[in-house]
Amino acid sequence: MILRLTKQFTFEMAHCLTGYDGPCQNLHGHSYRLEVTVEGEPERDKNSAKQGMVIDFRELKNIVNEVIVSKFDHSVVLSDAVAEEVRDALQRHFDKVWIFAFQPTTENLLMEFSRCLMDAFPKGAKLYSIRLQETENSWAELIL
C-alpha cells in the first residue's frame, strides 16, 4: 500500500523577470504557497510509535522549512541576466538575494525546489509532487 501526504507552506518572496514584456519585468513580490507531497509505504511495525506513518508531519515540516522556506522567505530572487551592478547593489543592501542561471518564473522555481527536495526525505518517503502557487489563482505543479 502506498500513501501520500501533503504539507502546505507559505512564504514571501520578491522577483522580477528580466527582459519580460509585461509588468513582471519590474521587481515585485508574492505571498507564495508551496505544497509538498511525499509518498511511501506506511510503517507496519505495531510496536513503533510511528506505526501507520509514511513520514511524521513534523519531520516533513522541518525538512521543507530548512531546505526551502528558511532560505527563500523574504528574499529577492533574480536571474543572472540582471545587470551586474544591480545585483551587486541588491546584495550589498539585502541579506537574502538569490541569483540563478534561469528566469525566476513559478515553473523554474518549482523545478529548483524539487531538485532541492529530491533526496531530502528519509528512507521510505519520496517526493511525489510539488506545487507552487504564486497568486490566489495561479500556480504550477510538478508530479514526479
Side-chain angles (χ1 to χ4, degrees):
M1 171 189 320
I2 300 294
L3 290 177
R4 294 183 188 127
L5 56 132
T6 302
K7 186 115 179 100
Q8 194 173 83
F9 304 84
T10 57
F11 58 96
E12 311 300 318
M13 189 171 69
H15 72 146
C16 66
L17 302 181
T18 307
Y20 186 69
D21 62 351
C24 292
Q25 69 182 315
N26 297 303
L27 187 62
H28 63 286
H30 296 283
S31 295
Y32 285 91
R33 178 173 292 156
L34 177 68
E35 292 181 7
V36 176
T37 301
V38 297
E39 71 174 1
E41 289 194 40
E43 174 63 54
R44 296 189 186 279
D45 182 354
K46 292 184 184 207
N47 295 318
S48 171
K50 294 187 178 184
Q51 189 261 334
M53 293 183 188
V54 173
I55 184 174
D56 186 311
F57 276 111
R58 181 180 50 188
E59 187 175 8
L60 175 57
K61 174 182 156 185
N62 290 342
I63 290 168
V64 176
N65 277 334
E66 180 183 333
V67 174
I68 305 294
V69 178
S70 67
K71 292 180 181 179
F72 291 96
D73 187 34
H74 287 83
S75 70
V76 177
V77 180
L78 304 168
S79 162
D80 60 4
V82 169
E84 187 174 352
E85 62 270 13
V86 173
R87 294 191 323 247
D88 290 347
L90 287 169
Q91 288 175 318
R92 275 195 310 274
H93 293 285
F94 300 107
D95 293 335
K96 294 168 85 172
V97 179
W98 294 93
I99 311 294
F100 287 107
F102 57 76
Q103 189 79 294
T105 62
T106 299
E107 299 89 340
N108 285 332
L109 290 167
L110 183 69
M111 296 298 290
E112 178 65 21
F113 294 168
S114 70
R115 279 190 290 278
C116 293
L117 289 171
M118 195 63 70
D119 297 319
F121 301 108
K123 183 179 178 187
K126 71 174 193 169
L127 185 62
Y128 170 77
S129 68
I130 183 170
R131 175 178 156 164
L132 184 61
Q133 189 169 344
E134 184 177 274
T135 66
E136 184 178 339
N137 53 11
S138 301
W139 62 84
E141 182 175 20
L142 173 65
I143 299 173
L144 303 160

